[in-house]
Amino acid sequence: MTKPKFKTNNQNRNLAGHPILALIDQCSDRSQVKQVHAQMLRIGLFFDPYSASRLITLCTLSTFSPDIEYTRKVFDQIPQPNLYTWNTLIRAYASSPNPTQSILIFSQMLHEFPDPPNKFTFPFLIKAASEICDLRQGELFHGMAIKASLDSDVYILNSLIHFYAACGDLNQAYKLFLKIPKRDVVSWNSMITGFAQADCPDEALELFREMEEENMKPNDVTMVSVLSACSKKSNLAFGRWVHSYIEKNGIEESLILNNAILDMYIKCGSLEEAKRIFDKMPERDPISWTTMLVGYTSFGEFDAAHHVFNEMPSQDIAAWNSLISAYEQSGQPRQALAIFHELQLSKKAKPDQVTLVSTLSACAQLGATDLGGWIHVYVKKQGLKLNCHLTTSLIDMYAKCGDLEKALEVFQFAERKDVYVWSAMIAGLAMHGRGRDAIDLFLDMQEAKVKPNEVTFTNVLCACSHAGLVEEGKLYFNQMLPVYGIAPQMKHYGCMVDILGRAGLLEEAMELIEKMPIVPGASVWGALLGACRTHGNIGLAEQACNRLLELEPRNHGAYVLLSNIYAKFGKWDGVSRLRKLMRDSGIKKEPGCSLIEVDGVVHEFLVGDNSHSLSKMIYSKLDEIASRLKLIGYVPNKSQLLQDVEEEDVKEQALFLHSEKLAIAYGLISTNPPAPVRIVKNLRVCGDCHSVAKLISRLYDREILLRDRYRFHHFKGGHCSCMDYW
DNA sequence: CTAGGGTTAG
């Protein structure tokens, strides 16, 4: 748009130091800004470009920032904006919620304004490009700066370092850093921060060392990033050294720096020292409080965390999120949902993407389909942006709740798909036994030029394992290092042993373990042990179990698996020896537990549970099922009973009280077809329950979706999607 | 004009 062409009054230049400008700095809300604006218009001060820019800057201060539209209107009224004014507006948008606007303003300026951008314009533009992580856009600005011979300006170079690092191109950032003839402290800080934030704490600390060597004096900003690198390394001794360095070298104290020190002590595991710092901080903000809150949750002290939460002067959404996330991450999804519920009722803060990501994860853990679906609707209704985090969580939630179609739908319509989104979808297909589709998706992902990471490979190998794709598994495993540059880690070896072991290639699995360049861990021996059970190899099983127990003496799973194998071969002396061992060392089997969501409420069943309000009905349903099964010749698979070596009285009845059977019975009572009965079990489903679920799906003509610790089972018409191979 | 702290996904 074109501006009205007023002649700028010469007098205005004298007005630049007008007392009303002093008022600008004292404005604390919008109405005061408007008053100043009006006064400036009245006395003509507004038409002085410098004064108008001061007003624009004021409009963009953080407390007024939601009002960027107002800023824009002010700008549009300026008759002849000069370069300074344009720059001010570009800066305002660069740090606004909509940085793209800053680039649009810039192109408008190129059209309407005769002078080329100057050395002040570029740092703002480059910041905008960093904010939106637009690598191509930033490279364009970089090129323009070179053409304008501004590429030796240290401000522009520092902005570029930050930009390349923020976009993930650390190499380019470092190249520029090395090329700067006279680095200032900001150059060092930008590079150190770049490394610290990109999860390269060693590089960050090394650079800090070099900085010292070159006698460049660090400031408070430097130390914040150095502390952040310490936190990532969880190295308490070094963290303490940095803390004392700050005190000895007279680094200026600031709220941000104190918060970083707090965070360092928390992440390095010293709640005590964090508390001491917190107590003597001269000033605290919500970040200080939230850091302490997270500190308590990370030590499992949830009561103390709630206390901090209640004590803090105001609970912003990040504080709520910390609580929700802490519960979700510590395997307490029900508590996470309870906090989410409380947040909704209190209406004290508005759930954001982070809230929903954590809540969706809690839903995924519980198989809480109804709430999960509700959140999806909420996201749409609120017009919240589906970022990659949220997309990933939605896919994961739908997949883990058994609704693979919905997961695929979310995936298909996702605007942006990063490696996490792709990996989550591959994992979803894998857990539903659709190995071929998972591999196809892995290939599509590469067509889309998204680089797989180590998690992608875990999921691909997992898909091969669940679908019995031995050759494919070997192929991708062998390609990892040479083709993708990802060294196989323990979990990849675990998957590979699983793939080979399930296929009965026990010797090959053993060979792989012997040739491993890293010391085989518990997961690898566990996978071998599992394979030995499937294929009944007692000798190898004992070996694997011993190795596993050397590493994890309290791994109850190992005892249970070996005991299963003994039972399968009728080696009762072995079974009772193991049972005694477990009793003597006080190791208990993790209790089996099944969940089922009905009308948005998650019900939990343990073995032989009669705490449910409809317990009587559930048990009579079980009796009915039992007699109908007997009629069609079902014989209980008693060897499975020994899975629970704690059980003294081996009775047929006990087998029928497994938690998944109770949950299925309740599902049959309380839900109606065609909806499937959806169950989530914390352990691997037992063989007898698996056969019973198949029979029920036929007898009652009812689909059953059972998620166990490792994968999904779709029971339908007497068959299971896992093809009895799990 | 450039750099910094708490909450998120596999």
Side-chain angles (χ1 to χ4, degrees):
Chain A
M1 71 196 71
T2 42
K3 308 251 163 306
K5 299 259 187 276
F6 291 135
K7 257 242 157 353
T8 314
N9 192 331
N10 271 341
Q11 269 185 325
N12 287 339
R13 208 161 294 153
N14 304 329
L15 289 168
H18 196 278
I20 206 158
L21 288 181
L23 280 178
I24 281 188
D25 298 323
Q26 284 163 32
C27 287
S28 57
D29 63 43
R30 245 184 73 179
S31 69
Q32 292 176 356
V33 176
K34 286 189 171 168
Q35 282 177 36
V36 170
H37 185 188
Q39 283 298 318
M40 286 174 71
L41 279 169
R42 203 172 59 81
I43 62 172
L45 189 59
F46 182 76
F47 303 104
D48 166 57
Y50 169 77
S51 306
S53 300
R54 287 284 304 276
L55 183 63
I56 287 189
T57 310
L58 171 69
C59 295
T60 62
L61 285 175
S62 60
T63 35
F64 309 119
S65 66
D67 232 337
I68 191 110
E69 289 314 313
Y70 184 73
T71 312
R72 183 60 203 259
K73 281 189 194 132
V74 171
F75 177 82
D76 288 338
Q77 286 170 9
I78 298 176
Q80 282 183 326
N82 58 17
L83 188 51
Y84 184 93
T85 329
W86 281 101
N87 286 344
T88 310
L89 190 65
I90 291 170
R91 174 174 69 170
Y93 276 112
S95 36
S96 79
N98 185 7
T100 312
Q101 197 58 30
S102 149
I103 295 165
L104 294 176
I105 303 285
F106 173 65
S107 57
Q108 190 190 338
M109 175 183 127
L110 289 179
H111 278 100
E112 292 177 18
F113 191 70
D115 299 350
N118 64 5
K119 63 175 182 172
F120 296 103
T121 320
F122 285 102
F124 306 141
L125 287 174
I126 296 165
K127 183 183 170 69
S130 320
E131 292 291 323
I132 54 176
C133 285
D134 190 332
L135 192 63
R136 274 197 32 228
Q137 190 59 256
E139 284 170 339
L140 217 69
F141 294 142
H142 188 179
M144 290 174 81
I146 293 173
K147 272 199 185 145
S149 306
L150 290 170
D151 59 320
S152 54
D153 180 272
V154 74
Y155 281 83
I156 294 179
L157 283 165
N158 292 345
S159 307
L160 282 169
I161 290 174
H162 173 74
F163 159 73
Y164 282 113
C167 293
D169 193 344
L170 283 173
N171 280 325
Q172 185 62 26
Y174 192 57
K175 263 193 211 160
L176 278 176
F177 173 76
L178 292 177
K179 277 206 311 212
I180 301 184
K182 264 183 83 78
R183 289 172 217 144
D184 64 7
V185 67
V186 179
S187 318
W188 287 91
N189 290 351
S190 302
M191 198 63 241
I192 292 175
T193 306
F195 279 129
Q197 292 184 345
D199 256 333
C200 304
D202 292 312
E203 286 81 353
L205 297 177
E206 168 61 19
L207 216 57
F208 174 58
R209 204 185 54 76
E210 285 176 30
M211 186 176 177
E212 287 241 272
E213 251 175 34
E214 298 197 11
N215 291 318
M216 172 61 75
K217 224 181 134 31
N219 63 12
D220 52 330
V221 178
T222 322
M223 298 323 292
V224 167
S225 289
V226 169
L227 285 163
S228 149
C230 285
S231 304
K232 294 215 160 96
K233 287 188 64 81
S234 302
N235 183 338
L236 182 57
F238 189 65
R240 285 189 181 128
W241 178 84
V242 174
H243 185 193
S244 66
Y245 179 100
I246 290 167
E247 289 177 343
K248 276 188 207 142
N249 290 273
I251 304 283
E252 200 188 337
E253 190 180 322
S254 76
L255 175 60
I256 293 181
L257 183 55
N258 278 330
N259 284 342
I261 295 172
L262 262 190
D263 181 60
M264 180 276 293
Y265 279 123
I266 298 286
K267 298 256 168 69
C268 293
S270 179
L271 190 52
E272 283 308 311
E273 277 154 297
K275 253 193 271 188
R276 252 195 314 242
I277 301 287
F278 182 78
D279 287 339
K280 63 172 205 210
M281 273 169 66
E283 190 193 351
R284 303 183 189 112
D285 69 0
I287 296 189
S288 330
W289 287 93
T290 310
T291 306
M292 283 314 289
L293 193 163
V294 170
Y296 285 111
T297 61
S298 68
F299 279 81
E301 296 183 21
F302 282 88
D303 289 342
H306 276 277
H307 185 70
V308 171
F309 183 80
N310 294 328
E311 288 284 296
M312 59 196 288
S314 71
Q315 295 91 355
D316 64 3
I317 190 63
W320 286 95
N321 291 346
S322 309
L323 261 187
I324 295 174
S325 151
Y327 278 122
E328 180 266 313
Q329 297 275 320
S330 63
Q332 306 183 70
R334 287 163 163 297
Q335 280 83 343
L337 295 188
I339 303 288
F340 176 70
H341 194 59
E342 199 185 312
L343 164 64
Q344 283 179 289
L345 288 179
S346 80
K347 295 181 181 159
K348 293 223 177 87
K350 195 172 165 298
D352 63 4
Q353 279 103 335
V354 180
T355 322
L356 302 176
V357 165
S358 301
T359 308
L360 283 168
S361 298
C363 293
Q365 282 185 49
L366 289 166
T369 319
D370 291 351
L371 182 56
W374 183 88
I375 290 175
H376 193 183
V377 173
Y378 181 89
V379 169
K380 287 183 190 162
K381 262 202 202 151
Q382 298 290 317
L384 283 168
K385 225 172 119 47
L386 261 187
N387 61 19
C388 287
H389 280 270
L390 202 43
T391 307
T392 305
S393 302
L394 274 173
I395 292 171
D396 184 58
M397 180 278 294
Y398 278 125
K400 288 190 178 149
C401 287
D403 200 337
L404 194 56
E405 290 313 311
K406 268 273 176 38
L408 285 163
E409 195 182 301
V410 172
F411 178 78
Q412 196 193 333
F413 291 109
E415 268 181 49
R416 279 199 59 224
K417 298 184 176 87
D418 67 0
V419 60
Y420 296 97
V421 174
W422 284 94
S423 302
M425 196 62 249
I426 291 172
L429 290 165
M431 73 179 88
H432 285 271
R434 288 175 50 176
R436 291 274 166 211
D437 294 330
I439 289 176
D440 285 344
L441 204 67
F442 175 61
L443 299 175
D444 289 348
M445 167 179 176
Q446 292 166 75
E447 288 273 304
K449 303 271 181 255
V450 177
K451 247 185 77 182
N453 65 12
E454 69 279 1
V455 181
T456 320
F457 277 100
T458 309
N459 298 343
V460 169
L461 293 175
C462 185
C464 294
S465 151
H466 289 322
L469 303 170
V470 181
E471 289 312 312
E472 289 81 352
K474 283 188 195 171
L475 177 72
Y476 294 120
F477 181 79
N478 290 326
Q479 282 183 352
M480 283 181 68
L481 190 56
V483 180
Y484 300 94
I486 300 169
Q489 300 161 5
M490 193 65 71
K491 51 195 173 190
H492 303 112
Y493 279 97
C495 286
M496 207 52 222
V497 168
D498 194 51
I499 292 173
L500 296 170
R502 280 168 195 277
L505 305 167
L506 292 176
E507 277 184 22
E508 205 176 327
M510 197 56 211
E511 265 172 47
L512 181 72
I513 295 178
E514 279 162 2
K515 283 195 309 204
M516 276 174 68
I518 43 179
V519 182
S523 58
V524 173
W525 294 115
L528 186 66
L529 184 56
C532 291
R533 184 204 28 207
T534 312
H535 296 283
N537 186 328
I538 294 190
L540 199 55
E542 286 173 336
Q543 259 188 62
C545 189
N546 285 336
R547 301 298 297 270
L548 181 48
L549 291 177
E550 278 168 23
L551 296 167
E552 293 182 355
R554 307 197 63 79
N555 187 322
H556 47 78
Y559 289 97
V560 174
L561 271 173
L562 188 58
S563 151
N564 277 177
I565 301 170
Y566 284 147
K568 194 167 172 178
F569 287 87
K571 296 208 159 207
W572 307 112
D573 52 331
V575 173
S576 49
R577 190 168 47 82
L578 280 178
R579 192 186 299 176
K580 187 176 180 312
L581 252 171
M582 282 182 84
R583 208 173 23 232
D584 292 350
S585 43
I587 295 167
K588 287 206 170 73
K589 175 186 174 289
E590 184 180 347
C593 165
S594 296
L595 306 176
I596 176 169
E597 185 195 57
V598 175
D599 295 330
V601 179
V602 177
H603 301 256
E604 183 179 292
F605 293 93
L606 298 171
V607 61
D609 204 327
N610 49 21
S611 62
H612 196 276
S613 58
L614 296 180
S615 199
K616 276 207 170 113
M617 276 175 77
I618 293 169
Y619 280 90
S620 58
K621 189 75 183 174
L622 273 178
D623 286 342
E624 174 203 310
I625 293 170
S627 49
R628 284 185 65 178
L629 287 179
K630 263 202 182 113
L631 281 177
I632 59 166
Y634 154 76
V635 180
N637 178 354
K638 289 188 205 166
S639 80
Q640 294 288 335
L641 251 188
L642 297 149
Q643 205 165 359
D644 188 351
V645 290
E646 286 280 292
E647 265 165 41
E648 293 296 336
D649 293 315
V650 180
K651 283 186 186 166
E652 217 174 281
Q653 205 48 36
L655 194 57
F656 229 76
L657 300 182
H658 272 175
S659 64
E660 50 270 59
K661 295 195 182 87
L662 295 177
I664 291 173
Y666 179 61
L668 289 176
I669 296 170
S670 55
T671 64
N672 293 311
V677 175
R678 298 166 190 272
I679 314 283
V680 174
K681 179 163 190 208
N682 64 337
L683 307 173
R684 181 181 177 277
V685 60
C686 101
D688 185 63
C689 289
H690 195 265
S691 325
V692 168
K694 281 198 286 185
L695 293 171
I696 292 178
S697 73
R698 180 156 59 90
L699 276 179
Y700 289 80
D701 191 23
R702 197 64 194 273
E703 267 184 72
I704 300 171
L705 275 179
L706 192 153
R707 177 180 114 203
D708 73 8
R709 179 174 278 194
Y710 301 102
R711 62 166 295 154
F712 260 97
H713 302 267
H714 292 221
F715 300 98
K716 193 180 176 181
H719 300 281
C720 179
S721 63
C722 76
M723 314 288 279
D724 300 335
Y725 181 90
W726 82 94

